[in-house]
Amino acid sequence: MNNKHKLWQIFGPVICAFILLGILFLIPWHFTNSSDSFLFKASVSRSNNVFKGEKIKQAAFEKEYVPFYGSSELSRMDPMHPSVLAYKYKRNYKPFLLGGPGSQSLTHYFGMQGTSSQLTNKKAVMIISPQWFTKEGQNPAAFSMYFSQLQAVEWILNAKNSEATRYAAKRLLTMPSGTADETTKSALETLAKGKPISSNVRTILRARHRILENEDDLFSSLNMPNNVPKIQSGADKLPGTYAYDNLRQIATDQGAEHTSNNRFDISNAFYNHRLGKKEVERLKGSQKDFDYTKSSEYGDLELVLNQFAQQHTNVLFIIPPVNSKWAKYTGLSESMYQEATNKIIKQLTSQGFTNIANLTKDGNKKYFMEDTIHLGWNGWLTVDQYVQPFMKQQNQPITYNINNYYFSKNWANRTNIGPTNVSASKSR
């Protein structure tokens, strides 16, 4: 046996394995399960893998699923949660929950990449929390939890030179997870300067995109949390026929039952495990210097609005309150909160986004909040008073008037917006 034959016996199987692996990832595969049961499980899973990917979201949005963008409030799955009500009363839409702790506008913007065609002339719901609009804006560590190279490559390959593209590239360059790959980083630096990426880089990125798509197809459903039993359990607590007064009583009763051990109307579980007497004492007056009126988040929000405008997506925006008792205890300024809300509403309505549920003055209502900042029993039921009629409306083609001024530092730091024409907002 000659040396060449011996070498082939040793290294041949390894070479063949690499070739097969290359074929596996470079040839387009279609493994995504699009059955009703699988997509329902994915829609309420709040899985990071699903959020980072494309295939499952694409399959869902081609059906009756509607994206509900938000953050940690989406995990509060009491019986009045949007997914529970839609499931119980067999509505013609199904919420697809996207977001978790720390997900903000920049997270959602890149998470939207890859689903543009599925959401063109469709509907969406987005919960915007004024708490996102801190001086620091999007937390880089939280951003990395929800970010994937697939999102970045998808965006780069479709990017056209514009104010939004340059802004997004610069923002992603400030995130460690966005610059972890050298090819991606180089492409972002080029786009940030308003220049086109080279054909060689584009070829490399197309090949990577195919590999990343196949990885998404193969692995995005792994370790998917199963929240379906929570939805079913919540639905079992509701009457067979939707009646607002009955549901309001159920919500109030549940709120009273679950907030019995503290004076803030905070859920017992949250109070016991996240607060406690010592932590509560430490936090007294701790939010008196909080300011949500100056933040890079306003520019990040504008990216999301640009994406919706490109897709002609009809969006319902929900702006939640904070727990009024807790805000008073921690010193959070109500006037500052309302000023930040007015600024958000001004940015929305001036560009044609007029479907707004401004709930920021409802934080003093009984059992409206589950804890310090998250919607609870009566809060979710109130949200439904906006969501249900919004979903029933016939969807009309919509054109927005995007204004690049909202990317500017001038707007990000502007205060004294004054009263906003909230009459443009839809009311119950």
Side-chain angles (χ1 to χ4, degrees), residues 303-367:
L303 281 177
V304 171
L305 301 186
N306 265 258
Q307 187 71 27
F308 284 141
Q310 290 175 22
Q311 300 166 179
H312 303 283
T313 304
N314 192 7
V315 192
L316 170 64
F317 292 93
I318 298 166
I319 309 177
V322 294
N323 181 317
S324 293
K325 290 182 178 180
W326 183 252
K328 185 176 180 179
Y329 181 79
T330 58
L332 184 72
S333 169
E334 173 66 16
S335 61
M336 177 279 297
Y337 202 84
Q338 291 303 322
E339 186 176 355
T341 300
N342 287 340
K343 188 172 178 179
I344 294 167
I345 292 175
K346 172 71 172 178
Q347 187 168 340
L348 295 175
T349 56
S350 67
Q351 298 178 91
F353 297 92
T354 58
N355 291 306
I356 303 169
N358 178 12
L359 309 181
T360 56
K361 295 183 179 180
D362 291 342
N364 61 346
K365 293 182 178 178
K366 269 294 191 183
Y367 316 122

Side-chain angles (χ1 to χ4, degrees), residues 31 46 55 129 141 212 225 248-249 292 301 357 379 384 420-421:
F31 293 131
R46 298 176 57 255
K55 295 293 186 179
S129 294
L212 292 167
R248 178 68 182 270
Q249 188 60 54
Y292 304 144
L301 172 61
D384 191 59
T420 306
N421 181 20

Side-chain angles (χ1 to χ4, degrees), residues 74 204 316:
L74 294 173
I204 294 170
L316 170 64

Side-chain angles (χ1 to χ4, degrees), residues 227-283:
N227 289 322
V228 172
K230 288 184 181 180
I231 302 300
Q232 294 173 331
S233 175
D236 289 341
K237 295 179 174 67
L238 301 178
T241 302
Y242 183 96
Y244 175 77
D245 289 340
N246 289 346
L247 294 179
R248 178 68 182 270
Q249 188 60 54
I250 292 171
T252 299
D253 291 344
Q254 290 202 340
E257 178 185 348
H258 289 93
T259 59
S260 59
N261 72 350
N262 63 89
R263 65 186 188 275
F264 301 108
D265 289 340
I266 290 172
S267 76
N268 298 335
F270 186 92
Y271 189 84
N272 289 338
H273 298 117
R274 298 286 297 276
L275 292 174
K277 184 177 180 180
K278 288 184 179 180
E279 186 69 5
V280 167
E281 290 175 354
R282 186 184 69 83
L283 292 173

Side-chain angles (χ1 to χ4, degrees), residues 61-114:
F61 298 156
E62 286 172 354
K63 296 188 176 183
E64 68 273 25
Y65 286 90
V66 175
F68 275 57
Y69 302 103
S71 51
S72 51
E73 70 281 325
L74 294 173
S75 67
R76 271 60 181 178
M77 294 179 178
D78 66 56
M80 306 303 160
H81 188 278
S83 294
V84 177
L85 293 176
Y87 172 80
K88 175 68 177 184
Y89 298 111
K90 297 180 174 57
R91 294 178 177 173
N92 63 350
Y93 67 90
K94 296 177 182 177
F96 198 105
L97 310 179
L98 294 168
S103 59
Q104 298 179 194
S105 300
L106 193 66
T107 305
H108 287 301
Y109 174 71
F110 283 101
M112 290 173 179
Q113 306 310 311

